[in-house]
Amino acid sequence: VVDDCVKSHPLMGYTCEDFAKKWPQGKMKTEYSEGNKKTSMGDSRWYTKVRPTKGHKLHMTKGRKLAGPYTWHVKDEETKATKAAVQQFWEAPYFLNQTHLNRYEAWDAFEFWFSMPDGGAMAHADSYQEMTISAQFSGVKR
């Protein structure tokens, strides 16, 4: 476990509201919802109103409803202009800056997960064949 990979990142401390104000044109998916509908980052409801989702009996919540998270796939689902705007604030973790290829991959292929308290990503396996880092910019994990 590397616990300092975003310690000095330009987005460290950004709240959901900060992201929404900076990139209101962003389009996110509503995770763990039927259809994974798109939500605009500029719509404040995603960070002010809990969107409950079905729980899963094998999850540590024992089936209790969760606050539905949102994913912002900047890497492969945003316009080139939006991706370029976000990349201006994106930095690869220090341990990936040792080679151009690793630094570029981290700069080019990133996504954000946003959640209110009592929510977040469930354990899952993506089909991406690339490195994955989970970093927390604000809030507290419980």
Side-chain angles (χ1 to χ4, degrees):
V1 174
V2 179
D3 62 2
D4 65 348
C5 70
V6 294
K7 199 178 246 181
S8 62
H9 196 282
L11 299 175
M12 191 64 183
Y14 264 49
T15 64
C16 293
E17 185 176 6
D18 294 333
F19 274 87
K21 286 180 178 177
K22 190 144 199 86
W23 296 290
Q25 75 282 9
K27 299 287 184 236
M28 302 179 295
K29 285 183 186 174
T30 55
E31 292 292 335
Y32 314 134
S33 299
E34 197 167 314
N36 286 353
K37 296 176 183 160
K38 294 284 185 175
T39 296
S40 170
M41 288 192 77
D43 181 348
S44 65
R45 288 178 292 183
W46 71 270
Y47 62 87
T48 59
K49 185 178 178 189
V50 172
R51 181 181 52 83
T53 64
K54 286 191 329 185
H56 192 281
K57 66 182 179 180
L58 297 178
H59 188 262
M60 65 187 202
T61 60
K62 310 265 191 266
R64 180 174 50 85
K65 286 187 176 188
L66 302 169
Y70 297 85
T71 55
W72 188 25
H73 286 254
V74 178
K75 64 183 174 185
D76 57 359
E77 295 181 10
E78 274 296 350
T79 64
K80 288 182 181 182
T82 297
K83 183 175 180 178
V86 179
Q87 283 173 319
Q88 291 178 17
F89 292 86
W90 187 252
E91 288 181 5
Y94 66 89
F95 54 87
L96 293 175
N97 282 326
Q98 297 165 354
T99 69
H100 176 73
L101 183 60
N102 284 344
R103 184 173 53 253
Y104 176 78
E105 177 69 20
W107 177 78
D108 188 56
F110 58 92
E111 65 188 35
F112 296 94
W113 282 72
F114 301 97
S115 179
M116 294 183 79
D118 294 323
M122 290 192 208
H124 65 283
D126 288 331
S127 59
Y128 305 123
Q129 294 181 7
E130 58 194 13
M131 68 184 114
T132 302
I133 295 170
S134 175
Q136 187 158 342
F137 291 107
S138 70
V140 178
K141 288 185 183 178
R142 296 181 191 155

